[in-house]
Amino acid sequence: MKHLFGEIARQSGLRISEGSEERLAIYIHERMRALKLRQPEDFLRCLLPEHADHRHELQRLAAVLTTGETSFMRDAGQIQLLRDTLLPGLLERRARQRSLRLWSAACSTGEEAYSLAILLHELLAGREDWQIALYGTDVNRDALRLAAAAQYGDWAFRGCDQAFRQRYFAPHHDRWVLQPAIRRMVYFMPGDLLRDPLPDPAHGLADLDLILCRNLFIYLQPAAIATVTHKLVLCLREGGVLLTGHGELHAHGSELLQTEAYPQSLVYRKGPPPAATPAKAPTRHNPATAPRPVAAKPVPPPVRTPTPARAPAIVDPLLAAWRLADAGRLDESLALCRGLLAQDPMRPEPHFLAAVLTMELGDPDAARESLRKALYLAPDMIAAHVHLERLQAGAEQNRAAHRTRAIVSRLLQDLPPDALVPFLGEGRAAELGAHWARRHAPPGAH
């Protein structure tokens, strides 16, 4: 079965964690019965491109291996960043055209797309002449049907105050129905980020000003992350913004994306294309040696392969710092971190790596200061809280350590169970949460 899981991961681009293996095994047997297949390997053939229904099977599989967990105005920090900074900046940038194009990719049951519509509705109050194109796509068609219906239970509003719900929704039996004016702002359609050709101007997915793609990359294999990131970048217009979940792209950048650090989140903005290297002219006195013209080839998606730390091919020096640390070259890694922070002190990841390195080098005070800066810039960085709790416990700062443990527990509970937690290895949120609870349970509670 392990071999089968590996092949499924390779075909689908999805990560398969230990916590999802039992669920996946049950699903495979159910599909085998439904399709009248004899061997698990027969199911694998249904995922191959030459199979007539391979897209349908891959989409069903994605629904099993991802949670679709979402809610209105999810992640208060990023919502504040959208409301106060990103959307006003994009509206100013597009003021002459008076149009804005936005996409909620992997929108699940629609709460994120409608949250974005509500933010725009508030920001554009009294400016009805703007043309807003807002798309929501997902591979799960059942989720899209729920999104189009725009009727939600109480759980969809966790974290929202009652005033928000009463302002934009009307009660109907045990559900809340979204106002028609907001519903009409969003167009939902099926979309498979891994397999659909993108950009797709015919369906509006091109020249976009903003793409929200949050908490999808945690479910993908590294090669699939590179593929999807490349496609999303191509769908943005120059100056457009990609907003992901916290830390999802820390090791999967793009040469066309410029990282902007805000206290609430990292943001990726599409910059101008890199300048082309001028070609050398052929030697005049010997035409026979002149190079022959070569047909242009399409630029492939970026492939992230292991690169030596000293190689100039690494785009982000932070990756080089991590690799130096992994190789045990701590002093070199720390020096590179400090150089990065001298250039850009508002980036939380180098602060975090500097904290890890100074802890290993026996300087807890420097580590504590670096963690404080990382958490100021990224308050939801679970790994930074974990290391801070370790320092607090070691210094017998019991009350502070207790508060930090509670923060870690809450942040882990807010994540989907199968979500990878950045900078904490291959651990999933549910597994790490259970381990954290066991580790810090009162004596005799086990």
Side-chain angles (χ1 to χ4, degrees), residues 260-263 266 341 343-351 376-377:
E260 299 177 358
Y262 296 88
L266 290 179
L341 290 170
Q343 298 172 11
D344 183 5
M346 297 299 290
R347 191 174 179 186
E349 291 89 348
H351 286 295
Y376 172 78
L377 296 169

Side-chain angles (χ1 to χ4, degrees), residues 255 303-317 319-320 323:
E255 292 184 1
V303 178
R304 303 295 172 189
T305 56
T307 309
R310 63 182 181 276
I314 296 176
V315 175
D316 187 350
L319 297 179
R323 287 174 178 139

Side-chain angles (χ1 to χ4, degrees), residues 104-152:
S104 171
C107 68
S108 187
T109 46
E111 289 92 329
E112 178 182 87
Y114 287 135
S115 295
L116 194 55
I118 290 170
L119 292 177
L120 286 167
H121 175 78
E122 294 174 348
L123 289 169
L124 290 172
R127 293 187 281 177
E128 288 77 12
D129 57 335
W130 274 75
Q131 298 294 317
I132 302 297
L134 206 171
Y135 304 95
T137 67
D138 201 275
V139 72
N140 188 331
R141 293 173 183 260
D142 292 334
L144 289 175
R145 281 190 282 270
L146 294 174
Q151 299 184 21
Y152 297 95

Side-chain angles (χ1 to χ4, degrees), residues 263-305:
Q264 302 92 339
S265 183
L266 290 179
V267 171
Y268 305 96
R269 191 179 299 273
K270 184 174 180 178
T277 303
K280 293 183 179 180
T283 305
R284 290 182 177 273
H285 67 273
N286 188 2
T289 64
R292 296 181 180 180
V294 179
K297 296 181 179 179
V299 179
V303 178
R304 303 295 172 189
T305 56

Side-chain angles (χ1 to χ4, degrees), residues 72 109 111 145-147 149-157 165 169-178:
F72 281 98
T109 46
E111 289 92 329
R145 281 190 282 270
L146 294 174
Q151 299 184 21
Y152 297 95
D154 292 339
W155 183 242
F157 300 96
R165 185 167 58 185
F169 297 81
H172 180 70
H173 302 302
D174 61 342
R175 313 290 286 174
W176 292 85
V177 182
L178 183 62

Side-chain angles (χ1 to χ4, degrees), residues 87-88 90-101 120 123-124 126-133 209:
L87 289 175
L90 290 172
L91 290 171
E92 182 179 357
R93 178 186 289 266
R94 299 287 295 168
R96 180 176 297 179
Q97 296 84 4
R98 304 192 79 73
S99 67
L100 208 63
R101 302 176 56 78
L120 286 167
L123 289 169
L124 290 172
R127 293 187 281 177
E128 288 77 12
D129 57 335
W130 274 75
Q131 298 294 317
I132 302 297
D209 298 289

